Amino acid sequence: MTRTALIVGATGIQGSAIARQLADEGWTVLGLSRTPQPQEGVTPVAADLLDPASLASALQGLTPSHVFLTTWLRMPTEAENIRVNAAMIRNLFDALRPAGSLQHAALVTGLKHYLGPFEAYGQGRLPQTPFREDQGRLDVANFYYAQEDELFAAADRDGFGWSVHRPHTVIGQAVGNAMNMGTTLATYATLCRETGRPFRYPGSAAQWNGLTDMTDARQLAAQVIWAAGTPAARNQDFNIVNGDVFRWSWMWPRIAGWFGIEAEEFDGTPRPLEAQMQDDAPLWAEIAARERLAEPDLGRLASPWHTDADLGRPIEVVTDMSKSRRMGFTGYVATDQAFFDLFERLRQDRLIP
């Protein structure tokens, strides 16, 4: 099998993990992004998915056998989300069509497939948990559905296979990523340790007491690569989480313990991180200068709004993985260890002290 991968969004949390694993397995890896960054084992491709002419020029002469789509743009409204993100995928496959080399395309979306888009998140009649792939779509406009429809149309037209992967909140490293709970909690814990402020759980009682799960970026990478080489997985959609479940009432003190601080007892009152951290950028810059950290801009490390959205849900969220298990995917990661591995890497890379 020819193995040349084009990773769209190669510098993000998901894309960088996929790129790293593919390179380790001996694939030729092309990393497409608007502003490529050096990545070991990855050939950078600079292109704007919303500029068809420049995209066609950047991809001319390239013959990827597999595409891994891990990027999207957030717009002010869901109608704009749909228009822009659908166009990005349509433009990509139009630019790849002349080469005729594509065998498989994997699209990474997420649990907003079941929970609804930003404008209607967690509202209305939601499917029963654990979320399962056969529950289908909600009766609401959703840019994830628009992305899927562009993928399906291109696959039907050009004859390649596809897979769709739906992670829960992803644990992994990427600077400048808009949805990054792991690094957000690492910076928050560092600031609490620095100032003596209490390490306060920011979310809802439903999340504190209820069961949940998450997705290590390495687990996601393992599943998308597995699907690319498994005939039974062709033209299938999959949930992807770590394989364990936990309650934040158990996880929060464990995260605090890694940083050598105490977790404040949760009294049931949400205290969003966006408010807790709103004035912390200057302090982070001071810490970064003193500790010689690689990134002094707190805004490029932390995304409090996204962490607040996840931890503030009013419902329990757990995800079923039986479909891929039945087909032979056996990956597993303990979520507390996923956090600890990330924190250690952030420290090694001088992103936290």
Side-chain angles (χ1 to χ4, degrees):
M1 180 177 66
T2 301
R3 302 199 308 174
T4 299
L6 176 67
I7 302 175
V8 183
T11 59
I13 291 177
Q14 301 166 354
S16 60
I18 295 169
R20 191 175 304 113
Q21 185 160 326
L22 287 170
D24 287 346
E25 293 183 11
W27 289 59
T28 298
V29 182
L30 310 171
L32 189 152
S33 59
R34 282 176 296 175
T35 53
Q37 301 170 12
Q39 293 173 275
E40 186 175 353
V42 179
T43 300
V45 178
D48 184 346
L49 293 174
L50 291 174
D51 184 343
S54 71
L55 183 60
S57 176
L59 294 176
Q60 187 173 10
L62 301 179
T63 56
S65 57
H66 294 71
V67 166
F68 299 90
L69 290 150
T70 68
T71 192
W72 65 286
L73 283 177
R74 186 178 182 186
M75 306 303 291
T77 67
E78 190 60 20
E80 279 295 286
N81 279 335
I82 290 168
R83 183 186 67 81
V84 168
N85 288 283
M88 288 165 61
I89 292 184
R90 185 167 58 251
N91 293 341
L92 174 70
F93 287 121
D94 285 348
L96 289 171
R97 188 180 191 189
S101 60
L102 196 57
Q103 301 170 21
H104 182 89
L107 171 66
V108 180
T109 61
L111 293 196
K112 283 187 285 296
H113 181 93
Y114 307 107
L115 287 162
F118 290 109
E119 291 181 2
Y121 189 72
Q123 301 175 20
R125 186 177 180 85
L126 299 175
Q128 187 178 28
T129 58
F131 295 137
R132 293 179 171 85
E133 296 91 344
D134 61 7
Q135 290 168 322
R137 296 179 174 184
L138 301 175
D139 186 20
V140 62
N142 189 325
F143 80 93
Y144 280 170
Y145 306 160
Q147 288 182 308
E148 288 183 344
D149 288 343
E150 293 293 341
L151 171 66
F152 302 157
D156 287 344
R157 179 191 70 190
D158 297 334
F160 58 83
W162 56 264
S163 59
V164 173
H165 305 265
R166 300 179 188 130
H168 197 166
T169 304
V170 178
I171 302 169
Q173 180 181 340
V175 175
N177 193 275
M179 300 191 298
N180 194 337
M181 181 189 285
T183 307
T184 299
L185 294 182
T187 58
Y188 174 59
T190 299
L191 288 161
C192 289
R193 185 177 61 196
E194 175 79 12
T195 61
R197 285 166 16 197
F199 186 63
R200 287 176 168 162
Y201 178 74
S204 67
Q207 288 297 301
W208 179 258
N209 296 313
L211 291 173
T212 193
D213 48 29
M214 294 183 73
T215 307
D216 189 305
R218 299 167 297 184
Q219 172 84 333
L220 170 63
Q223 193 195 58
V224 299
I225 296 169
W226 163 83
T230 301
R234 182 182 174 95
N235 298 350
Q236 297 292 327
D237 53 352
F238 299 107
N239 296 330
I240 175 62
V241 286
N242 287 336
D244 64 350
V245 294
F246 64 91
R247 303 179 199 277
W248 278 103
S249 58
W250 176 82
M251 184 68 75
W252 196 252
R254 291 185 66 75
I255 292 173
W258 196 93
F259 287 92
I261 57 178
E262 293 289 330
E264 182 180 76
E265 186 66 28
F266 179 57
D267 64 3
T269 303
R271 295 179 172 86
L273 287 181
E274 196 162 22
Q276 290 194 56
M277 300 178 69
Q278 64 181 346
D279 298 321
D280 283 338
L283 176 57
W284 186 263
E286 292 177 14
I287 296 171
R290 186 188 72 215
E291 302 290 340
R292 300 181 180 180
L293 301 182
E295 181 51 71
D297 184 353
L298 181 61
R300 285 180 50 76
L301 295 173
S303 52
W305 69 271
H306 180 258
T307 300
D308 287 340
D310 274 3
L311 298 184
R313 294 174 183 141
I315 58 172
E316 180 178 273
V317 178
V318 287
T319 315
D320 181 76
M321 275 184 62
S322 298
K323 184 175 182 180
S324 60
R325 295 296 193 212
R326 287 193 298 268
M327 293 183 182
F329 179 72
T330 60
Y332 169 83
V333 179
T335 301
D336 57 342
Q337 191 61 51
F339 274 120
F340 301 157
D341 289 350
L342 171 64
F343 299 155
E344 186 58 42
R345 185 177 173 202
L346 293 174
R347 184 167 284 173
Q348 291 173 357
D349 290 349
R350 305 301 303 158
L351 290 169
I352 61 173

